[in-house]
Amino acid sequence: GAVYLGYGNLVQKRKKDKVSLRIPNERLYKILGILGISRQSHVVIYDDMGGLNAGRFYWELERIGHPRVSVVDGGLVKWILEGRKVDNKNVTRKPVQYAAADKIHTNDIDLAGVRKALASGSHTLLDVRSKEEYVGHPKFKRTGHIPGAHLWSWDESVAFDKGFVLKPKAQLEQSLAGIGIKDKSQPLLLYCNSGHRASQTYMTLKHLGYTNIKLYDGSMAEYGRDKQAPIKQGARP
């Protein structure tokens, strides 16, 4: 009975620099309506990628203030491992008109906002890419991480050997505490390369009870193109 939404429908290429960013709200409302999703719908999301695609859609729905959203822990991987039913039928639902919320939840931040956060020290930055990406390549000037950002790779949160479910909360909280992330109300700013992996981490942190999180949608794909934006190489923030 699940309807399909491809990840590519949630992002768009900005022509001037080919950076992928989120689609406009009106386009998202139209997509939801085509899928038969109204503001009264309880949307249950899953993928087979440890939450990468599900996290992106979760972030989008929270941003537009959709009231009821759940994510299947482990997604299709866990579902199949438990011997549950699957089929290959193409499912469509009757289109509806999606009604926009009166207020948009500000859970994203743009390049200007990142610059301001860096200048003021108002946010703790989390880089959720791989260690290799974080450290950067010594032969290239525009590789590495945003100065001050802590490394917490997105896949640290997933138990791939147990059906792609999230690791236990206590284990994740201990891992975050190891890089100084303890206060669940502290302002956090997440980024990766395109906002894809960072959205999975966003969902994970919300699951853990963190309340003040913003995702930098343009991430390093945009930040790295700005030659005035400082970049640091090496394993330290």
Side-chain angles (χ1 to χ4, degrees), residues 4 8 10 19-20 23-24 36 40 57 65 81 88 107 111 113 123 142 155 161 169-170 190 228 234-235:
Y4 176 71
L10 297 174
V19 173
S20 293
I23 59 175
Q40 289 69 46
F57 194 34
L81 288 175
N88 61 356
N107 62 2
L111 179 57
H123 288 68
R142 304 300 292 170
D155 51 9
D161 59 340
K169 284 186 175 182
L190 313 180
Q228 302 302 315

Side-chain angles (χ1 to χ4, degrees), residues 92-126:
T92 58
R93 293 167 57 91
K94 183 179 179 180
V96 298
Q97 185 74 33
Y98 189 89
D102 294 331
K103 185 177 181 181
I104 297 296
H105 178 59
T106 308
N107 62 2
D108 61 341
I109 192 168
D110 60 11
L111 179 57
V114 172
R115 283 181 169 278
K116 186 176 180 180
L118 285 174
S120 65
S122 59
H123 288 68
T124 299
L125 277 71
L126 276 186

Side-chain angles (χ1 to χ4, degrees), residues 120-134:
S120 65
S122 59
H123 288 68
T124 299
L125 277 71
L126 276 186
D127 185 321
V128 305
R129 299 174 299 161
S130 67
K131 183 177 180 179
E132 291 74 20
E133 290 172 295
Y134 179 85

Side-chain angles (χ1 to χ4, degrees), residues 4 37 40 58 60 69 74 87-88 95 113 136 148 160 164 177 181 199 202 213 215:
Y4 176 71
I37 297 172
Q40 289 69 46
Y58 171 87
E60 291 279 12
V69 184
D87 63 40
N88 61 356
F160 292 101
F164 284 42
I181 311 293
S199 63
Y202 180 94
I213 319 167
L215 186 151

Side-chain angles (χ1 to χ4, degrees), residues 3 5 28-44 57 61 66 68 93-99:
V3 295
L5 175 62
L28 179 58
Y29 300 149
K30 184 176 181 180
I31 289 173
L32 294 173
I34 291 172
L35 294 176
I37 297 172
S38 71
R39 280 191 59 79
Q40 289 69 46
S41 301
H42 180 186
V43 181
V44 180
F57 194 34
L61 290 176
H66 190 81
R68 300 182 68 199
R93 293 167 57 91
K94 183 179 179 180
V96 298
Q97 185 74 33
Y98 189 89

